[in-house]
Amino acid sequence: CSSGCGGGKVKCSRSDLSLALEDCMAALDLFLQNEFEECAGTAQEQVPQQTKDSMYHALTYATILEMQAMMTFELPTHTGCRNQPVKEAQAICQTVRHRRKSTFSKNFTEDVCDSEMMFLTSEELHAEVCYAECLLQRAALTFLQDENLISFMRGGIKVRNSYQTYKELHTVLNSSAYSQGHNHGHFEGGVKLGVGAFNLMISMLPTRTLKLLEFVGFSGNKDFGLQQLQEGSKEGTLRSFLCNMLLLCYHTFMSFILGSTGEGDVEDAEKLLQPYLQKYPKGSIFLFFAGRIEEIKGNLDAAIARYQECCEAQQQWKEFHHMCYWELMWCFTYKRHFKMAYFYADLLSKENSWSKATYVYMKAAYLSMLTADDCLTFGETACTLFRQVPGLKQKIAGKSLPTEKFAIRKSRRYLVENPIPLAAPPLEMMYIWNGYTVIGKHKDLTEGMLKTLDEAQKKLDSCPRTDLSIDDQCLLSLLKGLCLKHLGHQEEAEHYFTLVLCNETQIKYDHYLVPNALLEHGLLCIEQGRRDEAIKLLEAAKQNYKNYSMESRTHFRIQAALHKARGRRENGT
């Protein structure tokens, strides 16, 4: 691309913009084929030459780097260096935009025309959508660091500017004065990506927070957001892949971890994934999502095979293997193969820097489920590892990761001379990541987990009572209730959820168990058609408890459950 900016004017032609988009599409294609070095080499050669010329070259380069950061848990070491290309791309867009302080011009065009003013408006439209995308990417990293969409919204002017820009550009697209041009698809895809992303994310917020955001100009509609992303994913443009990835992440991660039941939408995810898997059969990103879909369905052996295939598909992007290791660790946890789960936790602790504290905690958790003789083969003890966890604490952008904070809190009981063992730490962390939804799809897995919990209960009963015994008993009650619910023993499940509530005042540290027991009890009532009772329990969980472990994650699930309960009541089902 030979476009350039100087003297306050943009001396480009439509072909320059088209060539830039073609270059970026080619680079993205290399990336999806696992040709990471070729993709990075091409980008690194072109971007320095284009930094004053092409917003799309700079944005694509920044997007690929940020995808690597966000998809490989490498946030602590890479957030800074990933942010820099985004900032540079943002600066280029700012230069190209020549942003007017008032409003967009009354006539909008995306094609070339004889009028220089019209031509500048065309460039400005593309610069606007690229600029908004840069701001959105920077804000997304904020959410990834602390899983809190309120913090995402507190990104301040960046988030608001991005949101407002996308709203204005959506108005442009629907204006009768707008005429489609040669690069219209890429422009429209960018708008759909941003409008869809914002609507989807804002719609997931708790009602109280959503009302506050609506007061200051934000609004979110989940169905509209999904529609925009689905339309954007079908266009075959530069942003189609990003729309697709966001939808896949929503269906296989966000809905699963933050949704009320953790179901996700596997059918939609499979439809989205299939065309890419056919075009890129060895594409590591798509093999990973194929594994994730099988995992959510409870097909653990198929999931393990996909993750292993993903690792074998490429060796250049080693960090991407770590996402597979994380999922493999959980697959073996669901199967209660704690030695194999330990193996992958150990690999992560040695190779990945996302959260050493979490990885070491998981290693200790798995060893705590093995016999003393088995632990000898690993050359480590659970107690020694648990004691290391608090010293591995780190902060990203001044904040600790929620999972890391949870691991540190749980490990503190091992810092005393005579530590009190945790009851079933890997099964507790499994609940935090909504893993009981996975095993709940297979009776044998659920019965096996219930058996392990019964063994933990016997061990707890055989030990002298301490001031932490109630905490451990309530944890086992919550987890047993979940297993019994999935096995169809609803009355027994309700008994165990109620048992947690009855012991609320005696819980010393694990206060998160009470709102989560209310949540699970509420979900059980929804299944039984007891909607009013469900809403009462869920509102109590939302209103009466605060400052407990993994609070944001629980609130997301409560909000989703309330939507489900109220929706069923309104529909009379």
Side-chain angles (χ1 to χ4, degrees):
C1 178
S2 59
S3 57
C5 301
K9 290 188 177 182
V10 181
K11 297 179 180 179
C12 303
S13 69
R14 185 182 65 182
S15 61
D16 294 329
L17 184 59
S18 299
L19 284 171
L21 286 163
E22 288 172 12
D23 284 347
C24 295
M25 290 286 282
L28 181 61
D29 187 64
L30 286 171
F31 180 76
L32 299 182
Q33 294 181 61
N34 301 333
E35 301 293 343
F36 304 124
E37 290 183 1
E38 290 83 348
C39 174
T42 300
Q44 287 168 353
E45 287 176 8
Q46 289 182 347
V47 171
Q49 300 170 13
Q50 304 293 344
T51 50
K52 295 182 180 179
D53 308 325
S54 173
M55 54 194 161
Y56 274 112
H57 280 93
L59 177 61
T60 301
Y61 178 56
T63 299
I64 288 173
L65 289 180
E66 183 161 330
M67 273 198 299
Q68 288 179 313
M70 296 175 76
M71 295 186 72
T72 58
F73 295 161
E74 287 294 313
L75 293 174
T77 56
H78 291 297
T79 296
C81 70
R82 294 299 193 253
N83 252 332
Q84 190 56 38
V86 179
K87 290 179 181 177
E88 291 171 0
Q90 185 179 324
I92 298 165
C93 295
Q94 180 72 9
T95 302
V96 177
R97 285 161 77 211
H98 294 284
R99 192 184 184 96
R100 289 170 175 75
K101 298 295 183 183
S102 56
T103 59
F104 287 101
S105 62
K106 293 181 181 179
N107 295 315
F108 309 103
T109 180
E110 204 280 330
D111 206 347
V112 173
C113 105
D114 294 333
S115 165
E116 184 180 15
M117 178 59 69
M118 282 295 189
F119 176 74
L120 287 173
T121 304
S122 171
E123 288 294 299
E124 182 177 293
L125 288 176
H126 278 272
E128 288 285 346
V129 76
C130 289
Y131 185 82
E133 197 167 317
C134 290
L135 296 178
L136 181 60
Q137 287 185 19
R138 292 179 65 184
L141 278 175
T142 303
F143 169 63
L144 229 98
Q145 287 159 6
D146 69 357
E147 299 183 359
N148 193 333
L149 273 177
I150 300 173
S151 294
F152 175 90
M153 292 303 158
R154 285 175 182 163
I157 195 70
K158 292 193 297 293
V159 177
R160 184 168 177 80
N161 282 351
S162 179
Y163 176 78
Q164 289 299 128
T165 299
Y166 279 124
K167 279 186 67 177
E168 290 172 354
L169 290 173
H170 188 257
T171 301
V172 169
L173 278 176
N174 292 292
S175 169
S176 59
Y178 172 76
S179 61
Q180 298 183 10
H182 181 66
N183 295 306
H184 161 75
H186 293 287
F187 171 64
E188 182 180 38
V191 176
K192 288 184 182 297
L193 171 66
V195 171
F198 269 110
N199 272 274
L200 189 58
M201 288 185 286
I202 294 172
S203 70
M204 296 177 68
L205 288 166
T207 304
R208 185 168 51 186
T209 306
L210 186 56
K211 287 180 180 178
L212 178 62
L213 288 173
E214 287 173 345
F215 180 75
V216 294
F218 288 95
S219 62
N221 181 303
K222 185 180 80 170
D223 291 335
F224 180 65
L226 289 172
Q227 177 195 0
Q228 289 290 293
L229 291 170
Q230 286 163 354
E231 290 175 2
S233 72
K234 297 174 183 176
E235 298 299 324
T237 67
L238 184 61
R239 271 80 172 209
S240 297
F241 168 71
L242 293 176
C243 289
N244 191 287
M245 286 297 100
L246 187 50
L247 285 168
L248 282 172
C249 287
Y250 174 75
H251 291 314
T252 63
F253 283 99
M254 294 171 71
S255 291
F256 182 85
I257 297 170
L258 303 179
S260 60
T261 60
E263 291 295 336
D265 195 327
V266 175
E267 187 176 333
D268 276 358
E270 287 180 313
K271 289 178 182 177
L272 289 163
L273 182 62
Q274 200 55 41
Y276 283 94
L277 206 53
Q278 289 176 353
K279 186 176 180 180
Y280 306 100
K282 294 297 180 182
S284 54
I285 292 175
F286 307 115
L287 289 170
F288 172 79
F289 276 108
R292 180 67 183 168
I293 288 169
E294 293 293 346
E295 183 182 344
I296 292 174
K297 290 162 70 173
N299 301 330
L300 298 182
D301 290 336
I304 290 168
R306 280 297 199 180
Y307 291 135
Q308 290 173 340
E309 185 183 358
C310 178
C311 291
E312 293 167 2
Q314 59 84 27
Q315 299 299 318
Q316 295 172 309
W317 188 9
K318 286 284 189 179
E319 293 88 352
F320 194 69
H321 293 182
H322 300 160
M323 283 201 67
C324 295
Y325 295 166
W326 176 261
E327 297 301 331
L328 284 164
M329 181 188 80
W330 286 117
C331 286
F332 284 111
T333 304
Y334 303 150
K335 290 165 71 74
R336 296 181 299 135
H337 293 179
F338 297 125
K339 289 183 181 180
M340 284 300 298
Y342 168 89
F343 171 76
Y344 285 106
D346 186 50
L347 279 176
L348 287 166
S349 71
K350 292 173 179 175
E351 298 180 12
N352 189 268
S353 58
W354 170 66
S355 174
K356 298 286 186 183
T358 301
Y359 299 142
V360 172
Y361 177 84
M362 293 310 299
K363 286 175 62 178
Y366 294 125
L367 290 184
S368 73
M369 305 298 288
L370 304 177
T371 65
D373 289 340
D374 284 334
C375 291
L376 287 175
T377 63
F378 296 107
E380 297 180 298
T381 67
C383 186
T384 301
L385 289 170
F386 278 128
R387 286 174 174 172
Q388 292 176 17
V389 173
L392 296 171
K393 182 179 179 179
Q394 61 185 355
K395 288 191 175 182
I396 306 171
K399 294 186 177 182
S400 297
L401 294 162
T403 304
E404 185 167 283
K405 284 194 269 189
F406 181 83
I408 290 169
R409 286 172 186 161
K410 299 298 294 187
S411 297
R412 283 176 184 157
R413 64 163 73 183
Y414 287 86
L415 299 180
V416 297
E417 186 176 349
N418 296 307
I420 301 169
L422 291 165
L427 309 191
E428 179 180 25
M429 188 66 87
M430 182 176 142
Y431 174 71
I432 297 298
W433 289 89
N434 222 354
Y436 288 84
T437 301
V438 172
I439 65 167
K441 294 180 173 66
H442 292 272
K443 183 179 178 181
D444 58 330
L445 292 174
T446 308
E447 288 177 340
M449 197 61 68
L450 188 58
K451 180 181 178 182
T452 301
L453 289 166
D454 285 338
E455 291 168 358
Q457 181 69 62
K458 290 176 183 176
K459 189 175 179 179
L460 179 64
D461 293 340
S462 67
C463 294
R465 291 187 65 80
T466 69
D467 58 348
L468 297 176
S469 294
I470 296 297
D471 291 53
D472 293 337
Q473 179 59 64
C474 287
L475 168 65
L476 295 178
S477 295
L478 174 63
L479 302 185
K480 280 185 181 181
L482 280 168
C483 290
L484 290 164
K485 183 183 80 169
H486 287 299
L487 289 171
H489 305 310
Q490 296 182 333
E491 288 186 10
E492 289 181 74
E494 188 168 358
H495 163 74
Y496 279 109
F497 296 146
T498 304
L499 198 60
V500 177
L501 304 178
C502 291
N503 288 285
E504 175 181 355
T505 57
Q506 298 180 65
I507 292 175
K508 186 168 184 178
Y509 293 119
D510 294 333
H511 303 291
Y512 84 96
L513 293 169
V514 181
N516 278 277
L518 286 165
L519 166 62
E520 301 301 341
H521 194 175
L523 288 169
L524 180 61
C525 289
I526 293 173
E527 287 183 17
Q528 296 175 326
R530 297 152 58 190
R531 293 179 296 277
D532 291 337
E533 188 176 349
I535 291 171
K536 183 178 179 181
L537 290 165
L538 294 168
E539 285 290 351
K542 183 173 76 170
Q543 302 291 346
N544 300 341
Y545 304 92
K546 61 181 180 179
N547 300 324
Y548 54 86
S549 295
M550 308 302 293
E551 183 175 356
S552 292
R553 193 171 291 196
T554 302
H555 271 281
F556 277 117
R557 294 193 65 216
I558 291 170
Q559 180 65 18
L562 280 167
H563 277 307
K564 188 173 183 179
R566 287 171 175 149
R568 288 193 175 186
R569 182 170 65 177
E570 290 167 5
N571 294 332
T573 57

